Amino acid sequence: MSDRLAAQFAFLDEADKLKSVLRANTLADGSRRENSGEHSWHLALYALVLADHAPAGVNIDRVLRMLILHDLVEIDVGDVPIHSLNGQAHGSAETQAAEARAAARIFGMLPGDLGDDLLTLWQEFEVATSPDALFAKALDRVQPVMQNLASGGGTWKDYGVTAAQLDARVGVKIARAAPQLWAWVRGRVQPWFEQT
Amino acid sequence: MSDRLAAQFAFLDEADKLKSVLRANTLADGSRRENSGEHSWHLALYALVLADHAPAGVNIDRVLRMLILHDLVEIDVGDVPIHSLNGQAHGSAETQAAEARAAARIFGMLPGDLGDDLLTLWQEFEVATSPDALFAKALDRVQPVMQNLASGGGTWKDYGVTAAQLDARVGVKIARAAPQLWAWVRGRVQPWFEQT
């Protein structure tokens, strides 16, 4: 029991570092860049609040768990902005390999059974083929869109993103899991791209 | 559908403000004060990782949901540190009334059915009589203890807290839901209070 608790708390202490990993987008009020810890919380709230827009069969409790875990690998790898390097860096083989190593190290701090369970859940999110993972990924794409919209453009301005690029890099992954959600968000976004 | 989504996203945008509510304790590395958004994420991770120390019958998925929501009222009320005003401010009638008004306003931004569900869950957390709420409250007390320990004393130094005060304000509420967890944490904390 004592060794097990020591490992669990060592992991939770390590996880604290995610609060110091900065993302490309800002808070809604534009006051500072968002960190990946508070982003993960916001996403969990997105899942709770937008659950009724998930496809039938999606288990929101599993989605919540995935979203709480999904960015822990950034403690080692950092955040790779979706629009950086003309949209090429985010899903690169190099990034994926580095994230897999990070997941092995970080979840490996936990007692074996628990670490295996959480690593498996993270891998399901990454592969993004199950309905739960597809919906979790969709929310992970929606939230920065709303942050950009609230803050007056955010990373769209920083990276010179066009509406077509947003559709290709972000919209496709939202629409495949939550088409009505994307249709609504896309309508809200359109005026920003028309005015710039 | 469109009105419903507009209300859901207005709530999620409002929730972003929790990332700007500062708590008394710092990050584990002491570099800055923790905000209530990232604290809520860390607590959700605590629930996932420490689930095996919950009493039989506790539903961790409900605990997760409570922890994601539990601090939203601080958008209006701010964080009331547990050791402030000699431990008297945190549970005062004034604070509780202000938090209840905040909950009505914030959850009231959501569509009726959804807002009612989340408000009811928040109230269950606040009343803290159900097994799920008691375990959620215990985690909410454990995490700042571990943050203080990691950062070299934190709010214990700031407020001149004694070991007896820690036991009375924090330990009792952890031990009632997770006695073994508190026994382990208490053992880790003891040397800090002996050396000061």
Side-chain angles (χ1 to χ4, degrees), chain A residues 96-137:
Chain A
Q96 289 185 331
E99 290 183 345
R101 285 192 298 273
R105 181 188 76 76
I106 295 166
F107 294 118
M109 293 178 70
L110 288 166
D113 57 329
L114 180 57
D116 290 347
D117 284 353
L118 299 190
L119 178 61
T120 300
L121 200 59
W122 178 82
Q123 288 167 334
E124 179 180 336
F125 174 82
E126 277 300 295
V127 173
T129 51
S130 73
D132 294 347
L134 286 167
F135 189 65
K137 283 269 182 190

Short mmCIF file of all heavy atoms in Angstrom, two decimals, chain A residues 96-137:
data_model
loop_
_atom_site.label_atom_id
_atom_site.label_comp_id
_atom_site.label_asym_id
_atom_site.label_seq_id
_atom_site.Cartn_x
_atom_site.Cartn_y
_atom_site.Cartn_z
N GLN A 96 4.95 12.03 -33.15
CA GLN A 96 4.25 10.84 -32.64
C GLN A 96 5.18 9.91 -31.88
O GLN A 96 4.82 9.36 -30.84
CB GLN A 96 3.56 10.11 -33.79
CG GLN A 96 2.36 10.89 -34.35
CD GLN A 96 1.59 10.13 -35.41
OE1 GLN A 96 2.16 9.32 -36.13
NE2 GLN A 96 0.30 10.40 -35.51
N ALA A 97 6.40 9.73 -32.40
CA ALA A 97 7.36 8.86 -31.73
C ALA A 97 7.78 9.45 -30.39
O ALA A 97 7.89 8.73 -29.38
CB ALA A 97 8.57 8.63 -32.63
N ALA A 98 8.00 10.76 -30.37
CA ALA A 98 8.40 11.41 -29.12
C ALA A 98 7.27 11.31 -28.08
O ALA A 98 7.53 11.10 -26.89
CB ALA A 98 8.76 12.87 -29.38
N GLU A 99 6.04 11.47 -28.54
CA GLU A 99 4.91 11.38 -27.61
C GLU A 99 4.74 9.96 -27.07
O GLU A 99 4.39 9.78 -25.91
CB GLU A 99 3.63 11.89 -28.28
CG GLU A 99 3.68 13.42 -28.50
CD GLU A 99 2.42 14.01 -29.10
OE1 GLU A 99 1.57 13.24 -29.61
OE2 GLU A 99 2.27 15.24 -29.05
N ALA A 100 4.99 8.97 -27.91
CA ALA A 100 4.90 7.58 -27.44
C ALA A 100 5.95 7.30 -26.37
O ALA A 100 5.68 6.62 -25.37
CB ALA A 100 5.05 6.61 -28.62
N ARG A 101 7.17 7.82 -26.56
CA ARG A 101 8.21 7.65 -25.54
C ARG A 101 7.82 8.35 -24.24
O ARG A 101 8.02 7.83 -23.14
CB ARG A 101 9.55 8.22 -26.04
CG ARG A 101 10.25 7.35 -27.08
CD ARG A 101 11.70 7.80 -27.31
NE ARG A 101 11.80 9.17 -27.83
CZ ARG A 101 11.75 9.52 -29.11
NH1 ARG A 101 11.59 8.59 -30.05
NH2 ARG A 101 11.85 10.79 -29.48
N ALA A 102 7.26 9.55 -24.38
CA ALA A 102 6.83 10.31 -23.20
C ALA A 102 5.73 9.55 -22.44
O ALA A 102 5.74 9.48 -21.21
CB ALA A 102 6.33 11.69 -23.61
N ALA A 103 4.79 8.98 -23.18
CA ALA A 103 3.70 8.24 -22.54
C ALA A 103 4.25 7.04 -21.77
O ALA A 103 3.83 6.76 -20.64
CB ALA A 103 2.68 7.79 -23.58
N ALA A 104 5.21 6.34 -22.37
CA ALA A 104 5.81 5.18 -21.69
C ALA A 104 6.49 5.62 -20.40
O ALA A 104 6.37 4.96 -19.36
CB ALA A 104 6.79 4.48 -22.62
N ARG A 105 7.21 6.73 -20.44
CA ARG A 105 7.89 7.21 -19.23
C ARG A 105 6.91 7.67 -18.16
O ARG A 105 7.00 7.27 -17.00
CB ARG A 105 8.82 8.40 -19.56
CG ARG A 105 9.56 8.90 -18.32
CD ARG A 105 10.34 10.17 -18.57
NE ARG A 105 9.52 11.38 -18.63
CZ ARG A 105 8.99 12.00 -17.57
NH1 ARG A 105 9.18 11.53 -16.34
NH2 ARG A 105 8.26 13.08 -17.72
N ILE A 106 5.95 8.50 -18.57
CA ILE A 106 5.08 9.15 -17.57
C ILE A 106 4.10 8.14 -16.97
O ILE A 106 3.99 8.03 -15.75
CB ILE A 106 4.36 10.36 -18.20
CG1 ILE A 106 5.40 11.42 -18.59
CG2 ILE A 106 3.32 10.92 -17.25
CD1 ILE A 106 4.90 12.51 -19.51
N PHE A 107 3.38 7.39 -17.80
CA PHE A 107 2.45 6.40 -17.25
C PHE A 107 3.21 5.26 -16.58
O PHE A 107 2.69 4.58 -15.68
CB PHE A 107 1.50 5.88 -18.34
CG PHE A 107 0.57 6.95 -18.85
CD1 PHE A 107 0.60 7.35 -20.19
CD2 PHE A 107 -0.33 7.58 -18.00
CE1 PHE A 107 -0.24 8.35 -20.66
CE2 PHE A 107 -1.17 8.59 -18.47
CZ PHE A 107 -1.13 8.97 -19.80
N GLY A 108 4.47 5.05 -16.99
CA GLY A 108 5.32 4.05 -16.35
C GLY A 108 5.70 4.38 -14.92
O GLY A 108 6.24 3.52 -14.21
N MET A 109 5.46 5.60 -14.48
CA MET A 109 5.71 5.96 -13.08
C MET A 109 4.66 5.34 -12.15
O MET A 109 4.89 5.24 -10.94
CB MET A 109 5.65 7.49 -12.91
CG MET A 109 6.77 8.23 -13.62
SD MET A 109 6.61 10.05 -13.43
CE MET A 109 6.99 10.22 -11.66
N LEU A 110 3.53 4.96 -12.70
CA LEU A 110 2.42 4.43 -11.88
C LEU A 110 2.59 2.94 -11.62
O LEU A 110 3.31 2.26 -12.35
CB LEU A 110 1.09 4.66 -12.62
CG LEU A 110 0.60 6.10 -12.67
CD1 LEU A 110 -0.52 6.26 -13.70
CD2 LEU A 110 0.10 6.53 -11.29
N PRO A 111 1.93 2.41 -10.60
CA PRO A 111 1.88 0.96 -10.41
C PRO A 111 1.42 0.29 -11.72
O PRO A 111 0.56 0.84 -12.42
CB PRO A 111 0.83 0.78 -9.30
CG PRO A 111 0.85 2.07 -8.55
CD PRO A 111 1.16 3.14 -9.57
N GLY A 112 1.98 -0.89 -12.01
CA GLY A 112 1.81 -1.53 -13.32
C GLY A 112 0.40 -1.60 -13.86
O GLY A 112 0.14 -1.17 -14.99
N ASP A 113 -0.53 -2.11 -13.06
CA ASP A 113 -1.90 -2.28 -13.54
C ASP A 113 -2.52 -0.94 -13.92
O ASP A 113 -3.13 -0.78 -14.98
CB ASP A 113 -2.75 -2.99 -12.48
CG ASP A 113 -2.76 -2.23 -11.14
OD1 ASP A 113 -1.74 -1.57 -10.81
OD2 ASP A 113 -3.78 -2.28 -10.43
N LEU A 114 -2.34 0.04 -13.06
CA LEU A 114 -2.93 1.36 -13.28
C LEU A 114 -2.24 2.08 -14.44
O LEU A 114 -2.91 2.67 -15.31
CB LEU A 114 -2.79 2.17 -11.98
CG LEU A 114 -3.34 3.60 -11.96
CD1 LEU A 114 -4.81 3.63 -12.33
CD2 LEU A 114 -3.11 4.22 -10.58
N GLY A 115 -0.92 2.02 -14.49
CA GLY A 115 -0.19 2.64 -15.59
C GLY A 115 -0.60 2.04 -16.93
O GLY A 115 -0.78 2.76 -17.92
N ASP A 116 -0.76 0.72 -16.97
CA ASP A 116 -1.18 0.06 -18.21
C ASP A 116 -2.56 0.54 -18.65
O ASP A 116 -2.79 0.80 -19.83
CB ASP A 116 -1.20 -1.47 -18.02
CG ASP A 116 0.20 -2.05 -17.87
OD1 ASP A 116 1.19 -1.34 -18.16
OD2 ASP A 116 0.30 -3.23 -17.48
N ASP A 117 -3.47 0.64 -17.70
CA ASP A 117 -4.83 1.08 -18.03
C ASP A 117 -4.83 2.49 -18.63
O ASP A 117 -5.50 2.75 -19.64
CB ASP A 117 -5.71 1.11 -16.77
CG ASP A 117 -6.14 -0.28 -16.33
OD1 ASP A 117 -5.87 -1.24 -17.07
OD2 ASP A 117 -6.73 -0.38 -15.24
N LEU A 118 -4.07 3.38 -18.01
CA LEU A 118 -4.10 4.77 -18.47
C LEU A 118 -3.33 4.92 -19.79
O LEU A 118 -3.73 5.69 -20.67
CB LEU A 118 -3.56 5.71 -17.39
CG LEU A 118 -4.34 5.71 -16.06
CD1 LEU A 118 -3.88 6.85 -15.16
CD2 LEU A 118 -5.84 5.80 -16.28
N LEU A 119 -2.25 4.17 -19.95
CA LEU A 119 -1.51 4.19 -21.22
C LEU A 119 -2.40 3.68 -22.36
O LEU A 119 -2.41 4.27 -23.44
CB LEU A 119 -0.24 3.33 -21.11
CG LEU A 119 0.60 3.21 -22.38
CD1 LEU A 119 1.11 4.57 -22.85
CD2 LEU A 119 1.79 2.25 -22.16
N THR A 120 -3.15 2.63 -22.09
CA THR A 120 -4.05 2.08 -23.11
C THR A 120 -5.10 3.12 -23.51
O THR A 120 -5.43 3.26 -24.69
CB THR A 120 -4.71 0.80 -22.58
OG1 THR A 120 -3.69 -0.15 -22.28
CG2 THR A 120 -5.66 0.20 -23.61
N LEU A 121 -5.61 3.84 -22.53
CA LEU A 121 -6.62 4.86 -22.81
C LEU A 121 -5.99 6.00 -23.63
O LEU A 121 -6.60 6.51 -24.58
CB LEU A 121 -7.17 5.39 -21.48
CG LEU A 121 -8.51 6.10 -21.51
CD1 LEU A 121 -9.62 5.21 -22.05
CD2 LEU A 121 -8.89 6.58 -20.10
N TRP A 122 -4.78 6.40 -23.28
CA TRP A 122 -4.09 7.45 -24.05
C TRP A 122 -3.86 6.99 -25.49
O TRP A 122 -4.05 7.76 -26.44
CB TRP A 122 -2.75 7.81 -23.38
CG TRP A 122 -2.00 8.84 -24.17
CD1 TRP A 122 -2.20 10.18 -24.16
CD2 TRP A 122 -0.96 8.59 -25.12
NE1 TRP A 122 -1.34 10.79 -25.06
CE2 TRP A 122 -0.57 9.84 -25.65
CE3 TRP A 122 -0.32 7.43 -25.58
CZ2 TRP A 122 0.44 9.96 -26.62
CZ3 TRP A 122 0.69 7.55 -26.54
CH2 TRP A 122 1.06 8.81 -27.05
N GLN A 123 -3.45 5.73 -25.65
CA GLN A 123 -3.21 5.20 -27.01
C GLN A 123 -4.51 5.19 -27.83
O GLN A 123 -4.49 5.49 -29.01
CB GLN A 123 -2.61 3.79 -26.93
CG GLN A 123 -1.16 3.80 -26.45
CD GLN A 123 -0.63 2.43 -26.05
OE1 GLN A 123 -1.40 1.55 -25.67
NE2 GLN A 123 0.70 2.28 -26.09
N GLU A 124 -5.61 4.85 -27.17
CA GLU A 124 -6.91 4.87 -27.88
C GLU A 124 -7.22 6.28 -28.36
O GLU A 124 -7.69 6.46 -29.50
CB GLU A 124 -8.02 4.36 -26.94
CG GLU A 124 -9.39 4.38 -27.61
CD GLU A 124 -10.50 3.89 -26.69
OE1 GLU A 124 -10.23 3.14 -25.72
OE2 GLU A 124 -11.67 4.26 -26.95
N PHE A 125 -6.95 7.26 -27.52
CA PHE A 125 -7.16 8.66 -27.92
C PHE A 125 -6.28 9.00 -29.12
O PHE A 125 -6.73 9.59 -30.10
CB PHE A 125 -6.85 9.59 -26.75
CG PHE A 125 -6.90 11.06 -27.11
CD1 PHE A 125 -8.11 11.74 -27.15
CD2 PHE A 125 -5.74 11.75 -27.41
CE1 PHE A 125 -8.16 13.09 -27.50
CE2 PHE A 125 -5.78 13.10 -27.75
CZ PHE A 125 -6.99 13.76 -27.80
N GLU A 126 -5.02 8.62 -29.06
CA GLU A 126 -4.07 8.97 -30.11
C GLU A 126 -4.44 8.35 -31.45
O GLU A 126 -4.38 9.01 -32.50
CB GLU A 126 -2.65 8.54 -29.72
CG GLU A 126 -1.94 9.51 -28.82
CD GLU A 126 -1.78 10.88 -29.45
OE1 GLU A 126 -1.07 11.00 -30.46
OE2 GLU A 126 -2.38 11.83 -28.94
N VAL A 127 -4.78 7.07 -31.43
CA VAL A 127 -5.12 6.36 -32.67
C VAL A 127 -6.40 6.93 -33.27
O VAL A 127 -6.54 7.02 -34.49
CB VAL A 127 -5.24 4.84 -32.39
CG1 VAL A 127 -5.75 4.11 -33.61
CG2 VAL A 127 -3.88 4.27 -31.95
N ALA A 128 -7.32 7.31 -32.38
CA ALA A 128 -8.53 8.01 -32.81
C ALA A 128 -9.33 7.25 -33.86
O ALA A 128 -9.60 7.74 -34.96
CB ALA A 128 -8.19 9.42 -33.32
N THR A 129 -9.67 6.03 -33.51
CA THR A 129 -10.58 5.27 -34.38
C THR A 129 -11.87 4.91 -33.64
O THR A 129 -12.90 4.71 -34.29
CB THR A 129 -9.91 3.99 -34.91
OG1 THR A 129 -9.35 3.26 -33.81
CG2 THR A 129 -8.79 4.32 -35.89
N SER A 130 -11.84 4.78 -32.34
CA SER A 130 -13.07 4.44 -31.59
C SER A 130 -13.99 5.66 -31.53
O SER A 130 -13.52 6.80 -31.59
CB SER A 130 -12.72 3.98 -30.17
OG SER A 130 -12.31 5.08 -29.37
N PRO A 131 -15.29 5.44 -31.41
CA PRO A 131 -16.22 6.57 -31.29
C PRO A 131 -15.88 7.50 -30.13
O PRO A 131 -15.97 8.73 -30.27
CB PRO A 131 -17.58 5.88 -31.08
CG PRO A 131 -17.42 4.54 -31.72
CD PRO A 131 -16.00 4.14 -31.48
N ASP A 132 -15.49 6.95 -28.99
CA ASP A 132 -15.14 7.80 -27.85
C ASP A 132 -13.94 8.69 -28.17
O ASP A 132 -13.94 9.89 -27.87
CB ASP A 132 -14.81 6.94 -26.62
CG ASP A 132 -16.02 6.15 -26.10
OD1 ASP A 132 -17.15 6.45 -26.52
OD2 ASP A 132 -15.82 5.23 -25.29
N ALA A 133 -12.92 8.10 -28.79
CA ALA A 133 -11.71 8.88 -29.10
C ALA A 133 -12.00 9.92 -30.18
O ALA A 133 -11.48 11.04 -30.13
CB ALA A 133 -10.59 7.94 -29.55
N LEU A 134 -12.82 9.57 -31.15
CA LEU A 134 -13.14 10.53 -32.21
C LEU A 134 -13.88 11.74 -31.65
O LEU A 134 -13.62 12.88 -32.06
CB LEU A 134 -13.98 9.84 -33.30
CG LEU A 134 -13.19 8.88 -34.20
CD1 LEU A 134 -14.14 8.02 -35.03
CD2 LEU A 134 -12.24 9.64 -35.12
N PHE A 135 -14.77 11.51 -30.69
CA PHE A 135 -15.48 12.64 -30.10
C PHE A 135 -14.54 13.47 -29.22
O PHE A 135 -14.57 14.70 -29.25
CB PHE A 135 -16.71 12.16 -29.31
CG PHE A 135 -17.60 13.29 -28.86
CD1 PHE A 135 -18.27 14.07 -29.79
CD2 PHE A 135 -17.76 13.58 -27.52
CE1 PHE A 135 -19.08 15.14 -29.39
CE2 PHE A 135 -18.57 14.63 -27.10
CZ PHE A 135 -19.24 15.42 -28.04
N ALA A 136 -13.67 12.78 -28.48
CA ALA A 136 -12.69 13.51 -27.65
C ALA A 136 -11.79 14.37 -28.54
O ALA A 136 -11.53 15.54 -28.23
CB ALA A 136 -11.86 12.51 -26.84
N LYS A 137 -11.33 13.82 -29.64
CA LYS A 137 -10.48 14.59 -30.58
C LYS A 137 -11.24 15.78 -31.16
O LYS A 137 -10.67 16.86 -31.36
CB LYS A 137 -10.02 13.69 -31.73
CG LYS A 137 -8.91 12.72 -31.39
CD LYS A 137 -7.54 13.35 -31.67
CE LYS A 137 -6.44 12.34 -31.37
NZ LYS A 137 -5.09 12.95 -31.38
#
